[in-house]
Amino acid sequence: MPASQLKAELRAGRLAARDAIPTDERIEKSLAIAGYGENTVGFDPGTVISGFLPIRSEVDLRPLMATFRTRGARICVPVILDKVRIVFRELVPGAELIDCGFGTSAPGPDAAVLDPQVMLVPMAAFDLAGHRIGYGGGYYDRAIARLHEKGLEPRLIGIAFDCQEVASVPAEPHDVRLQSLLTESGFRIVDT
């Protein structure tokens, strides 16, 4: 079976499992993720950290992003510009959010575009080797590649619920491997 087809099947299965988590349980799991994240993700004041605003049944990172902001981080979130490109706009308290397509919202074009030093990366599915499956658009892989072209090496932390783990994700040449994983059961550094 081609890797793309296997990824599509894994994605569909893990997203269905995520969707099946009751709302109140999803909130509790998101708060557990925030608790582990605030106690394990270190950074210096002024560090640019990209998170994301939840869509559908994703992990709600807003509590963790708020904690990071109080510790001095500059927070940004992805904005879809077109069919192949995202940028990260700064998210400041009180910022008006606009619809950015695919169910996402983010600060408008007046917000500063930042290059993340730490990226909290959403995952549809993942394995313990640090391979992830996104939503199939390749936005994060291309965004990370653009940062690498600028000579930047962001720290990559995958974010998902435990039920999204699979035994193995088929890695393709364009896939970017994560350095760590954060779920409701804790923070794990990926063995390299």
Side-chain angles (χ1 to χ4, degrees), residues 31-80:
L31 291 172
I33 288 168
Y36 284 117
E38 69 184 64
N39 292 320
T40 55
V41 178
F43 57 88
D44 294 325
T47 298
V48 177
I49 299 178
S50 71
F52 53 89
L53 298 173
I55 59 171
R56 299 185 290 271
S57 58
E58 279 183 333
V59 172
D60 187 348
L61 280 184
R62 290 174 292 187
L64 182 58
M65 292 188 299
T67 297
F68 285 171
R69 181 180 289 112
T70 64
R71 288 175 42 198
R74 291 182 73 186
I75 302 298
C76 57
V77 294
V79 178
I80 298 171

Side-chain angles (χ1 to χ4, degrees), residues 9-180:
E9 289 181 12
L10 291 171
R11 178 185 301 112
R14 294 307 82 214
L15 290 179
R18 186 183 79 187
D19 290 344
I21 301 171
T23 301
D24 58 338
E25 191 177 324
R26 194 166 37 249
I27 292 168
E28 291 302 316
K29 290 175 184 286
S30 292
L31 291 172
I33 288 168
Y36 284 117
E38 69 184 64
N39 292 320
T40 55
V41 178
F43 57 88
D44 294 325
T47 298
V48 177
I49 299 178
S50 71
F52 53 89
L53 298 173
I55 59 171
R56 299 185 290 271
S57 58
E58 279 183 333
V59 172
D60 187 348
L61 280 184
R62 290 174 292 187
L64 182 58
M65 292 188 299
T67 297
F68 285 171
R69 181 180 289 112
T70 64
R71 288 175 42 198
R74 291 182 73 186
I75 302 298
C76 57
V77 294
V79 178
I80 298 171
L81 295 182
D82 53 39
K83 293 185 189 247
V84 296
R85 211 166 28 119
I86 58 173
V87 295
F88 296 89
R89 289 186 186 151
E90 188 166 20
L91 179 64
V92 298
E96 183 179 341
L97 301 178
I98 62 168
D99 177 15
C100 296
F102 300 100
T104 66
S105 58
D110 293 339
V113 173
L114 304 176
D115 289 330
Q117 296 164 286
V118 176
M119 296 179 75
L120 306 177
V121 182
M123 303 184 292
F126 67 96
D127 65 23
L128 295 180
H131 299 112
R132 72 179 272 277
I133 297 173
Y135 291 116
Y139 288 104
Y140 271 86
D141 290 327
R142 285 189 297 276
I144 294 165
R146 281 194 303 279
L147 291 170
H148 288 168
E149 288 168 5
K150 293 180 173 183
L152 304 173
E153 292 291 331
R155 192 163 129 208
L156 307 175
I157 303 170
I159 306 289
F161 296 116
D162 286 331
C163 68
Q164 295 171 255
E165 181 183 334
V166 297
S168 179
V169 169
E172 297 179 273
H174 64 272
D175 291 332
V176 178
R177 193 168 169 221
L178 305 167
Q179 292 128 347
S180 51

